[in-house]
């Protein structure tokens, strides 16, 4: 026993001695900034240069001599992208890089449920950890300025407040697991066509009120560890090395302490990259990357060219050390974080999360009463239905494949047709389901090495497909047309904007033909954007189903058949035509080429009046569906709103209270939305602006009180002359409703 005691004491002494000699940067008990200082002091010039640029398509080197592992990034934001070869975009051919595809961020925003954003981030982080990814390239929070934007499906809608409330918990969930969010694309990245050449001209007020709030919330509230610069230019500088955007606003004004990552190929100039805030360079299109040059990564703008400038005395190491300090901070938060949990892939909990988000994000846009039944068409009455016909290519097309960098390799994707058939087979086997393709949109069988599963090859003509759909529709009790957009070029796809606002292919013609023989038609729109729907008055039920990932078919079936009561709300204004959108009405999109045809100047002439702010201002033709719109299978009553005070001081908060009652027969959820109107102001302000919301779940007959908080920031506008937010004293009105087009109750108050 005495010998054992002596041995234990010796071991404890040895461990104590080891702890005393442990380098500071490895001692987790030391403050983070002290560890960063120590590691930075130990690094050579070559090591410092190495960690600020890529070493492969998706990784940058650590510091092997000091024990820092490589940093691996991967595309998101809807799932962990499959691995590619070291130097090429081709698939690596691995068998363990399938994933769960979560719904696109438009769907997440449509839930109006911040707790689901937290769940989304946590689930995605767990998949990333399993794959050894330390930085997920997402979420995206660029504003939905025009419905032609090819990448709108990756973002969170048109309203800065909604996007801010949804992005914060997403980032917090992701980073709680030790995986960094890389919020993108900072900023004004609202075009995909010629995205490297668009120079945005925008007022300071619109920049700060509309296009920056979600990024600011990501930095100051969520504490994002990295941000990705955008391809486009602002004030004639690319946003990956833009002095105003990065140095002034992001780092100085907002206090961002993380890493600015270039978008892949977004860096264009060594000197600007050194001076203007870029910290970590990826994907530059330097000579050799496509020709197999062995030192291609040394040819990056922040690689050999930067080192040479330091050795020549053009720069000191001041700027370099600042960049490295930020990269080391990211290392300690991710790769060097020994407390982060283990990840797991394709778990039941991840599929459950994907399904729940999809179900809550699906929006019931329209559900008219049918004359004969004196009841709405949805949910489908399966007791009185024998034959269902599903029409449309989108019922059999994988939507997790394609669309650019968000393309995924999923373990499975339940297609809409399969989800409907599986549901009915399990629950109502007496109901038969037939299928007609209806139209041909996309016959591509693979994207970036991932096959689409079910063959889309088609030899029949459009006339033959239309005849088939019409003849089968004659015999059906209900027709479910599953159409919309897809992730092909010039639809919802990175790199290209849409060419028109109408539905592509022959969808409108097929729908019109079906309506002539069967008016009992449910239209399910798969997209990340709105579209022109010329037949809308004659179609009784319309559902917006987004790109909703692995559990798409199951989610759609559960809503159509009534197992799930829809509660999604639109995160953007659904225009009847493009002329209802300010950017198009003012011919401010897509901008004008300069004389040298190198740069497009695009002036945001609509200024702060984006989305419902524009349609409210016109007070003319109403949009097809207003921002925040979404129906339910039950009904709700919103009571009279009251405020806890009539006079509010500048540093005070106003509490609004309103009762919500479920007056229908089914349990369901309603989202109470609060818009603020400034009734007397020295500058023109929108008619109203969203400043608070809460989603509430109610049983039939149940009433609950909803409380909404308004503070000074909720009443402020950005004063360009002063360069700050201002809340002018005077009268304000709080407007309570269930969409921007359905205001039910209001109250006024004064700001001192």
């Amino acid at each position: 026993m005495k010998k054992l005691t002596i041995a234990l004491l010796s071991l404890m002494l040895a461990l104590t001695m080891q702890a005393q000699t442990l380098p500071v940067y490895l001692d987790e008990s030391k403050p983070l900034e002290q560890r960063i200082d120590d590691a930075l002091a130990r690094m050579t010039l070559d090591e410092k240069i190495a960690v600020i640029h890529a070493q492969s398509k998706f990784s940058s080197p650590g510091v092997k001599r000091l024990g820092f592992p490589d940093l691996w990034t991967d595309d998101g934001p809807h799932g962990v992208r499959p691995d590619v070869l070291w130097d090429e975009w081709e698939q690596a051919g691995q068998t363990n890089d399938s994933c769960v595809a979560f719904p696109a961020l438009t769907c997440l925003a449509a839930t109006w449920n911040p707790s689901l954003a937290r769940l989304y981030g946590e689930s995605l982080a767990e998949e990333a950890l399993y794959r050894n990814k330390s930085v997920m390239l997402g979420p995206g929070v660029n504003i939905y300025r025009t419905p032609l934007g090819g990448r709108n499906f990756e973002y969170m809608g048109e309203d800065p407040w909604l996007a801010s409330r949804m992005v914060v918990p997403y980032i917090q969930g992701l980073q709680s697991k030790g995986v960094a969010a890389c919020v993108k694309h900072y900023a004004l990245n609202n075009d995909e066509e010629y995205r490297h050449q668009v120079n945005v001209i925008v007022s300071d007020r619109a920049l700060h009120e509309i296009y920056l709030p979600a990024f600011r919330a990501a930095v100051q509230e969520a504490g994002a560890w990295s941000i990705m610069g955008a391809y486009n230019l602002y004030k004639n500088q690319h946003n990956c090395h833009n002095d105003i955007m990065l140095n002034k606003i992001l780092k100085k004004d907002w206090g961002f302490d993380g890493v600015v990552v270039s978008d892949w190929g977004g860096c264009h100039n060594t000197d600007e990259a050194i001076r203007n805030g870029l910290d970590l360079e990826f994907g530059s299109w330097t000579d050799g990357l496509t020709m197999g040059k062995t030192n291609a990564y040394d040819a990056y703008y922040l690689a050999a060219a930067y080192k040479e400038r330091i050795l020549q005395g053009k720069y000191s190491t001041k700027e370099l050390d600042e960049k490295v300090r930020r990269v080391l901070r990211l290392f300690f938060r991710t790769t060097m974080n020994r407390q982060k949990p283990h990840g797991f892939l394709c778990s039941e909990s991840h599929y459950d999360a994907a399904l729940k988000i999809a179900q809550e994000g699906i929006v019931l846009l329209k559900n008219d009463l049918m004359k004969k039944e004196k009841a709405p068409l949805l949910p489908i009455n399966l007791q009185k239905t024998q034959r269902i016909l599903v029409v449309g290519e989108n019922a059999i097309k994988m939507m997790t494949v394609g669309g650019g960098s968000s393309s995924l390799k999923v373990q499975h994707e339940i297609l809409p047709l399969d989800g409907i058939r599986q549901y009915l087979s399990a629950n109502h086997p007496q109901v038969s389901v037939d299928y007609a393709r209806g139209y041909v949109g996309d016959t591509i069988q693979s994207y970036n090495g991932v096959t689409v599963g079910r063959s889309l090859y088609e030899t029949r003509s459009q006339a033959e497909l239309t005849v088939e759909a019409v003849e089968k529709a004659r015999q059906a009790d209900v027709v479910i047309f599953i159409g919309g957009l897809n992730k092909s070029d010039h639809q919802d796809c990175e790199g290209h904007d849409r060419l028109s606002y109408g539905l592509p292919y022959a969808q409108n013609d097929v729908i019109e033909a079906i309506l002539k023989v069967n008016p009992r038609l449910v239209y399910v729109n798969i997209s990340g954007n709105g579209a022109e729907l010329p037949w809308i008055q004659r179609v009784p039920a319309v559902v917006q189903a987004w790109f909703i990932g692995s559990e798409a078919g199951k989610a759609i079936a559960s809503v159509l058949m009534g197992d799930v009561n829809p509660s999604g709300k639109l995160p953007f204004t659904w225009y009847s035509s493009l002329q209802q959108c300010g950017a198009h009405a003012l011919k401010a999109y897509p901008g004008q080429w300069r004389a040298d045809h190198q740069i497009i100047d695009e002036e945001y002439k609509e200024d702060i009046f984006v989305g419902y702010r524009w349609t409210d201002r016109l007070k003319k033709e109403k949009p097809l569906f207003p921002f925040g719109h979404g129906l339910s299978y039950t009904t709700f009553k919103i009571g009279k709103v009251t405020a806890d005070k009539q006079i509010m001081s500048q540093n005070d908060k106003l509490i609004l209270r309103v009762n919500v009652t479920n007056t229908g027969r089914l349990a369901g959820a309603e989202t109470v939305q609060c818009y603020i109107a400034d009734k007397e102001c020295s500058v023109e302000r929108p008619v109203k602006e969203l400043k608070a919301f809460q989603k509430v779940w109610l049983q039939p007959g149940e009433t609950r009180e909803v409380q909404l908080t308004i503070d000074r920031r909720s009443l402020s506008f950005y004063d360009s002359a002063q360069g700050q937010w201002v809340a002018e004293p005077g009268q304000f009105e709080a407007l309570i409703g269930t969409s921007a087009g359905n205001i039910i109750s209001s109250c006024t108050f004064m700001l001192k």
Side-chain angles (χ1 to χ4, degrees):
M1 185 70 180
K2 183 177 180 181
K3 290 182 179 180
L4 178 60
T5 302
I6 294 173
L8 288 172
L9 289 172
S10 299
L11 177 59
M12 291 173 63
L13 180 61
L15 290 173
T16 302
M17 294 291 291
Q18 182 181 2
Q20 290 174 348
T21 59
L22 192 70
V24 172
Y25 73 91
L26 290 176
D27 188 349
E28 292 185 330
S29 68
K30 299 294 184 182
L32 175 61
E33 297 307 312
Q34 186 178 344
R35 298 174 70 194
I36 292 171
D37 288 340
D38 183 58
L40 183 64
R42 296 170 187 268
M43 292 175 66
T44 67
L45 176 61
D46 285 338
E47 288 169 340
K48 291 178 180 179
I49 291 291
V51 300
I52 63 169
H53 68 83
Q55 65 173 357
S56 74
K57 284 295 184 188
F58 282 99
S59 73
S60 61
V63 189
K64 296 176 178 60
R65 183 177 63 85
L66 299 181
F68 289 89
D70 294 344
L71 181 77
W72 282 91
T73 72
D74 211 340
D75 275 317
H78 310 136
V80 187
R81 187 177 181 175
D83 288 321
V84 298
L85 296 173
W86 187 265
D87 279 326
E88 302 174 32
W89 290 114
E90 294 303 316
Q91 290 286 306
Q94 296 181 4
T95 58
N96 64 343
D97 59 350
S98 297
C99 69
V100 172
F102 299 92
L105 292 189
T106 42
C107 178
L108 175 63
T111 69
W112 291 59
N113 185 347
S115 67
L116 288 186
R118 173 81 188 208
L119 175 65
Y120 197 126
E122 291 176 350
S123 303
L124 181 62
E126 288 165 352
E127 301 244 328
L129 286 169
Y130 182 89
R131 297 268 306 282
N132 193 33
K133 310 300 182 186
S134 293
V135 180
M136 287 304 298
L137 305 177
V141 289
N142 292 99
I143 292 297
Y144 185 110
R145 177 178 174 245
T146 161
L148 300 189
R151 218 164 178 178
N152 284 340
F153 70 97
E154 291 187 43
Y155 301 144
M156 296 188 179
E158 74 182 30
D159 185 78
W161 179 258
L162 175 62
S164 297
R165 295 311 93 210
M166 297 302 290
V167 75
V168 167
Y170 180 113
I171 295 169
Q172 291 171 334
L174 191 70
Q175 295 186 168
S176 71
K177 305 286 185 178
V179 177
C182 188
V183 188
K184 61 185 187 183
H185 302 87
Y186 180 75
L188 302 166
N189 185 197
N190 306 112
D191 299 50
E192 282 300 294
E193 212 72 42
Y194 306 111
R195 56 187 175 169
H196 298 275
Q197 297 152 288
V198 172
N199 177 58
V200 174
I201 302 169
V202 63
S203 72
D204 285 348
R205 185 178 173 200
L207 177 68
H208 285 272
E209 287 192 21
I210 304 297
Y211 298 101
L212 292 187
F215 288 104
R216 180 173 180 173
V219 171
Q220 295 190 325
E221 296 181 52
W225 294 342
S226 62
I227 276 185
M228 182 187 291
Y231 283 135
N232 53 283
L233 299 88
Y234 169 67
K235 292 188 181 295
N236 299 305
Q237 280 187 344
H238 281 94
N239 277 354
C240 285
H241 34 76
N242 188 295
D243 185 42
I244 295 174
M245 283 290 185
L246 301 180
N247 287 336
K248 182 185 183 302
I249 297 175
L250 179 64
K251 293 183 174 180
K252 181 183 177 183
D253 296 349
W254 296 352
F256 177 63
D257 70 354
V259 173
V260 174
V261 180
S262 74
D263 202 344
W264 271 233
C267 186
H268 300 270
N269 182 285
T270 295
D271 292 304
E272 285 192 5
I274 293 170
R275 296 192 300 261
N276 293 348
L278 179 62
D279 301 312
L280 184 52
E281 179 187 1
F282 272 96
S284 291
W285 297 331
T286 51
D287 291 340
L289 282 186
T290 58
M291 300 174 64
K293 183 180 177 183
T294 56
N295 66 338
Y297 297 98
D298 290 336
Y300 272 35
Y301 295 100
L302 287 182
Y306 190 3
K307 178 183 175 182
E308 182 180 356
R309 283 163 169 76
I310 291 175
L311 294 177
Q312 291 173 344
K314 185 173 181 179
Y315 295 99
S316 70
T317 59
K318 176 185 177 182
E319 295 89 354
L320 176 61
D321 286 349
E322 172 60 20
K323 298 177 192 298
V324 175
R325 184 180 301 278
R326 291 174 178 273
V327 172
L328 288 172
R329 192 175 290 120
L330 182 61
F331 284 172
F332 284 122
R333 287 167 167 170
T334 58
T335 61
M336 297 292 284
N337 177 7
R338 298 177 185 176
Q339 307 305 317
K340 64 185 178 184
H342 294 289
F344 46 96
L345 194 67
C346 298
S347 71
E348 293 86 348
S349 64
H350 295 168
Y351 283 113
D352 289 345
L355 177 62
K356 183 172 179 57
I357 294 164
Q359 289 170 330
E360 277 202 37
I362 290 174
V363 182
L364 179 61
L365 294 174
K366 184 182 179 185
N367 197 23
D368 291 348
L369 291 175
M370 303 300 291
K371 291 182 180 180
K372 290 184 179 180
E373 297 89 339
K374 295 183 180 179
L377 188 53
L378 291 178
I380 295 173
N381 187 339
L382 297 173
Q383 303 303 321
K384 298 181 178 180
T385 301
Q386 294 182 326
R387 297 177 298 276
I388 292 176
L389 173 66
V390 177
V391 182
E393 181 181 277
N394 281 359
I396 61 168
K397 178 174 172 55
M398 288 183 70
M399 293 299 182
T400 59
V401 181
S405 61
S406 64
S407 181
L408 299 171
K409 184 170 106 180
V410 294
Q411 187 184 53
H412 77 248
E413 177 180 351
I414 302 175
L415 301 175
L417 176 61
D418 296 335
I420 292 169
R421 282 177 166 163
Q422 291 167 13
Y423 176 89
L424 292 173
S425 176
N427 299 284
H428 298 273
Q430 79 281 2
V431 180
S432 66
V433 180
D434 201 357
Y435 174 71
R437 181 161 183 168
Y439 65 93
V440 177
D442 185 358
T443 59
I444 296 174
Q445 297 300 299
S446 66
Y447 182 90
N448 195 215
V450 180
T451 58
V452 299
R454 184 170 301 181
S455 174
L456 297 174
Y457 182 70
E458 182 62 68
T459 59
R460 291 172 293 175
S461 68
Q462 181 57 55
E464 291 174 304
L465 293 172
T466 302
V467 167
E468 179 195 38
V470 169
E471 290 306 311
K472 289 185 175 183
R474 291 182 193 274
Q475 309 302 319
D477 297 313
V478 177
V479 178
I480 303 172
F481 191 104
I482 302 180
L485 309 179
N486 58 41
K487 291 186 176 179
S488 299
D489 286 347
H490 299 294
Q491 294 204 38
D492 283 316
C493 184
E494 179 184 358
H496 296 283
D497 288 337
R498 295 167 65 189
L499 299 177
S500 72
Y501 190 47
L503 289 176
Y505 318 123
Q507 293 181 75
N508 287 332
D509 294 338
V510 178
I511 291 171
E512 295 281 5
I514 291 173
L515 287 171
K516 292 178 181 178
V517 300
N518 193 335
R520 296 173 59 80
L521 189 148
V522 179
Y523 176 69
V524 179
N525 192 71
I526 309 292
S527 75
N529 275 302
E532 201 167 44
L533 307 178
W535 32 258
I536 186 69
Q537 298 304 322
R538 288 172 288 123
V539 172
V542 179
V543 173
Q544 175 62 19
W546 315 108
F547 301 116
I548 48 179
S550 289
E551 300 290 88
K554 186 182 293 186
I556 291 170
S558 67
V559 170
L560 295 182
M561 309 307 167
D563 275 12
V564 170
N565 191 349
S567 62
K569 299 282 187 176
L570 285 178
F572 54 74
T573 303
W574 194 304
Y575 307 107
S576 296
S577 69
L578 278 183
Q579 290 308 302
Q580 289 187 330
C581 173
H584 295 275
L586 298 176
K587 296 181 170 56
Y589 169 91
Q592 297 292 323
W593 285 100
R594 293 181 184 174
D596 60 4
H597 209 72
Q598 297 297 311
I599 297 294
I600 299 174
D601 285 317
E602 185 169 349
E603 182 179 0
Y604 286 18
K605 296 178 183 178
E606 71 279 13
D607 202 55
I608 62 170
F609 298 99
V610 176
Y612 68 88
R613 290 166 170 81
W614 176 262
T615 53
D616 279 354
R617 188 189 193 197
L618 294 181
K619 298 180 181 179
K620 293 181 181 179
E621 182 184 355
K622 293 182 179 180
L624 192 60
F625 302 109
F627 170 80
H629 170 75
L631 305 177
S632 171
Y633 293 152
T634 190
T635 54
F636 299 94
K637 179 182 178 181
I638 308 295
K640 174 66 177 175
V641 62
T642 60
D644 66 342
K645 57 180 69 70
Q646 291 184 322
I647 300 177
M648 176 181 169
S649 67
Q650 290 276 345
N651 297 319
D652 205 355
K653 291 184 178 180
L654 183 77
I655 306 298
L656 301 169
R657 293 182 172 87
V658 60
N659 285 335
V660 185
T661 303
N662 183 342
T663 56
R665 299 179 179 178
L666 299 173
E670 180 60 281
T671 300
V672 180
Q673 302 165 34
C674 174
Y675 299 82
I676 296 295
D678 190 345
K679 308 306 289 186
E680 43 186 312
C681 188
S682 62
V683 298
E684 183 182 11
R685 300 195 67 177
V687 173
K688 62 180 182 292
E689 296 180 279
L690 180 73
K691 294 300 178 182
F693 63 87
Q694 185 175 327
K695 193 168 190 175
V696 57
W697 281 262
L698 298 168
Q699 294 296 318
E702 183 183 3
T703 297
R704 284 183 58 187
E705 182 185 80
V706 171
Q707 293 189 13
L708 302 166
T709 302
I710 299 299
D711 59 14
R712 179 181 182 275
R713 186 63 181 268
S714 306
L715 311 179
S716 301
F717 64 91
Y718 188 82
D719 188 314
S720 300
Q722 299 184 53
Q724 63 183 19
W725 290 86
V726 173
E728 291 183 344
Q731 187 182 64
F732 290 82
E733 187 175 19
L735 306 164
I736 302 297
T738 58
S739 78
N742 186 37
I743 301 301
I744 298 169
S745 179
S746 66
C747 66
T748 58
F749 60 95
M750 298 293 294
L751 177 68
K752 287 184 180 180

